[in-house]
Amino acid sequence: QVQFVESGGGLVQAGGSLRLSCAASQSTFRIGAIGIGWYRQAQGKEREMVAQITSGDRATHYADAVKGRFTISKDNANNLVYLQMNDLKPEDTAVYYCRPPTGPWGQGTQVTVSS
């Protein structure tokens, strides 16, 4: 079963930016062919959807809390999914995951935004 590996998290000050990356565990799996999303889970809270992109990159959808600040995109040539996060806020602090609508969760990548 294909799993997804997240990277790019870190510690950043409020107002800063980070770009998260997501890669499939199997190099032959074409990320461009599927719909996939970024999710996050803050400590003590439930996991929530942050951004989604459809197969073929036809459409994107964002949670209200990140609209205008986060951008989801695919790099089909390198078989990656990105989450560009700008104007980060302390409330964006969470572990971030990428995954299609179904399947196992990966390890995630920690994003910490200091005030």
Side-chain angles (χ1 to χ4, degrees), residues 7-81:
S7 62
L11 173 64
V12 64
Q13 289 187 329
S17 299
L18 283 173
R19 188 178 74 166
L20 306 183
S21 298
C22 171
S25 60
Q26 298 176 10
S27 61
T28 56
F29 186 89
R30 307 314 304 171
I31 282 182
I34 63 168
I36 194 165
W38 282 95
Y39 303 80
R40 68 185 181 187
Q41 186 168 23
Q43 193 167 9
K45 295 187 177 181
E46 292 190 356
R47 190 154 20 209
E48 61 178 354
M49 186 278 294
V50 174
Q52 294 174 318
I53 186 167
T54 61
S55 60
D57 309 347
R58 292 187 185 92
T60 57
H61 176 68
Y62 297 93
D64 288 343
V66 306
K67 278 181 182 176
R69 300 189 297 122
F70 290 12
T71 302
I72 186 171
S73 63
K74 290 182 184 176
D75 179 350
N76 292 325
N78 292 298
N79 211 25
L80 295 169
V81 182

Side-chain angles (χ1 to χ4, degrees), residues 81-105:
V81 182
Y82 296 120
L83 184 67
Q84 177 66 43
M85 306 187 296
N86 298 327
D87 189 24
L88 282 161
K89 303 177 180 181
E91 51 264 42
D92 295 318
T93 295
V95 179
Y96 284 72
Y97 305 86
C98 70
R99 203 196 69 169
T102 60
W105 293 102

